[in-house]
Amino acid sequence: MRLCKYLLGILFLFTWFSNSVMAQPELGRSRYLKNVSEARNRALTNTFLPIVTGITAANVFENNTIQTLGSALAIYGLVMGPSGGNFYAEDYLRGGLGVAARAGIGYFMLLDATRELMGKEVAKTMTWDNEDVKITDTKILIGTGVFVGTIVYNIISSKASVNEFNRSKGYQVELTGEQVGKNIYPALTASVQF
């Protein structure tokens, strides 16, 4: 029950944080351009919100249907979520490779560690974790490395995806800060390619 309280607290904190990030005004935004902060926000939201909600639902509710849906939602957050920023910027290759690595390599390596990583209710609901393993097993460490590495890669690479999308449209508008003495002034730069 204590774990559920922590997960719910993280869920509400993350939801508040993502809403405060989206409330910031943007200068020079065009409806044809993609935004780096929006891409990262989508990647983080699509990752952590389903994971926290799914694990909480699987551990709090006694209904098998809700537990199954919660477990499936957590798996969606792990596999598809981090590529949300790449998909937002229409970079389907980068996003798809991340999904393929997590679903293909990481998923099968971590299949028997569901109970240890996500809790006994999720493992019981999904019915594929039938043996006890140690977190220090080589297979578990490789699977965790693939998952964590591709999650971090997809979230960080969303900036490159957005920049490539904006360049492909022939123009780019960027709001940065320039330091003059001790003060930092906003600088709006634009580039047009012919």
Side-chain angles (χ1 to χ4, degrees), residues 2-185:
R2 177 184 255 172
L3 175 65
C4 294
K5 288 179 184 178
Y6 289 129
L7 291 175
L8 284 173
I10 290 170
L11 172 69
F12 290 123
L13 182 65
F14 185 74
T15 305
W16 171 80
F17 178 71
S18 65
N19 287 336
S20 66
V21 170
M22 292 186 332
Q24 301 300 321
E26 297 180 31
L27 299 175
R29 182 175 178 180
S30 170
R31 63 186 170 128
Y32 301 111
L33 294 179
K34 302 291 182 178
N35 187 329
V36 174
S37 64
E38 176 70 19
R40 287 209 176 127
N41 190 30
R42 286 186 184 208
L44 290 170
T45 302
N46 286 334
T47 301
F48 294 110
L49 203 57
I51 291 171
V52 171
T53 305
I55 291 175
T56 303
N59 287 310
V60 170
F61 296 103
E62 297 296 325
N63 187 331
N64 286 338
T65 305
I66 294 176
Q67 288 179 341
T68 303
L69 289 174
S71 300
L73 187 63
I75 291 169
Y76 163 81
L78 282 170
V79 175
M80 294 293 291
S83 296
N86 302 113
F87 293 148
Y88 161 75
E90 298 179 15
D91 189 356
Y92 301 109
L93 178 63
R94 233 181 231 130
L97 287 175
V99 169
R102 283 186 295 278
I105 299 167
Y107 172 76
F108 288 110
M109 295 242 177
L110 292 176
L111 201 56
D112 288 329
T114 306
R115 176 174 284 116
E116 289 78 13
L117 297 174
M118 297 179 81
K120 67 179 180 178
E121 291 300 323
V122 175
K124 185 176 81 175
T125 304
M126 299 315 281
T127 68
W128 59 57
D129 185 6
N130 54 6
E131 61 182 73
D132 290 331
V133 295
K134 294 181 181 176
I135 296 295
T136 57
D137 287 348
T138 304
K139 189 171 145 182
I140 306 303
L141 293 175
I142 292 171
T144 303
V146 168
F147 257 99
V148 171
T150 57
I151 286 171
V152 169
Y153 170 75
N154 279 127
I155 291 171
I156 290 174
S157 72
S158 59
K159 179 178 181 179
S161 297
V162 168
N163 290 337
E164 288 173 14
F165 176 85
N166 290 340
R167 273 195 298 271
S168 73
K169 297 300 177 197
Y171 54 90
Q172 182 175 5
V173 178
E174 187 176 3
L175 180 64
T176 60
E178 294 292 326
Q179 185 167 359
V180 178
K182 293 182 180 179
N183 298 326
I184 297 177
Y185 297 99

